[in-house]
Amino acid sequence: MQGAVVVAGATGFVGARLVAALTSAGVPVRCGSRSPDSARRRWPDRSWVALDVDRIDTVRAALDGARAYVHLVHHMATDAGDLVGAEVRSAEAVARACADAGVGRIVYLGAPVPEGSPSEHLIARARTGEALAGGTVPVVELRASMIVGHGSESWLIVRDLAHRLPVMVLPAWLRSRTQPVAVDDVVTALAAAISSDAVPAGIHDLPGPEVLSAEQILRRTAGVLGMRPVTVPVPVLTPALSSAWIKLVTRADFRIARKLVDGLTDDLLLDEPGVWAHLPDAVRTGFDDGVRRAIAEEPPQTGGGATWERWARRLARPAR
């Protein structure tokens, strides 16, 4: 197919990797960013355009002549009072712009919706998918829970807690289960979804190969790091209090961390095999291997964080 693929959020954790994969495969990519000049200095070999989903004029300009559009943006790092409304409004405008530009397909990375009372950010993820699909352009929505990889805020929380706490306080909500997926597998699925021949339009779950509780995720990550923390169950520690605790221990953006933790009170389970039914040659990355890859990509720790982690390793029991 002719025309470029426009990636909104091309500087992000998933977006930058997707652009690299598409470019390596010979796919022409137009990289969208709210700060294209800054992005161009970091990645001068990529084609950058101004694209802010809250400024529809930039979206229309970026989409000119494009064959596909990939939506990898959200408002979680902002303090907008109405997260759901903000995301839905921008998604509706993007859907109209894609239709007007003659885009053949929209690909969106969403999240599962738990049973019970989903958090605001999970509601926003689902409503964004609905808004994009409400237009006339076919949409592929891939739903992933926790993505394991260097650069992910959710992974950063797990990594820092596992590496910095020889004694862990485990609130009851850490028993909630999910299916973490390696970022390389997410990129594989997104790249395939851009081709209409590979993945049909519709909603497809993007599960990792194992169902793990949040507690198991922390323990397994610590084990890969060579540590076996002492754990102390505390049934009364709420997600709100846990967010404050995470702020003290980890480097994660607190605005994002608070919203992520709110979404951990219920299971986030996905249908099997999900999108992998359409990608029979794909081999999913095991959780431990995904953790090893994420750790291998980290730059060396410096300053107080490095000191903290050295002491934590000395105080922790070695992994069996």
Side-chain angles (χ1 to χ4, degrees), residues 104-116:
R105 169 167 286 209
I106 296 171
V107 177
Y108 167 58
L109 181 60
V113 180
E115 297 181 2

Side-chain angles (χ1 to χ4, degrees), residues 220-246:
R220 292 270 291 272
T221 300
V224 171
L225 291 165
M227 301 166 66
R228 184 162 54 96
V230 175
T231 57
V232 181
V234 180
V236 295
L237 192 62
T238 66
L241 290 173
S242 298
S243 297
W245 171 58
I246 285 170

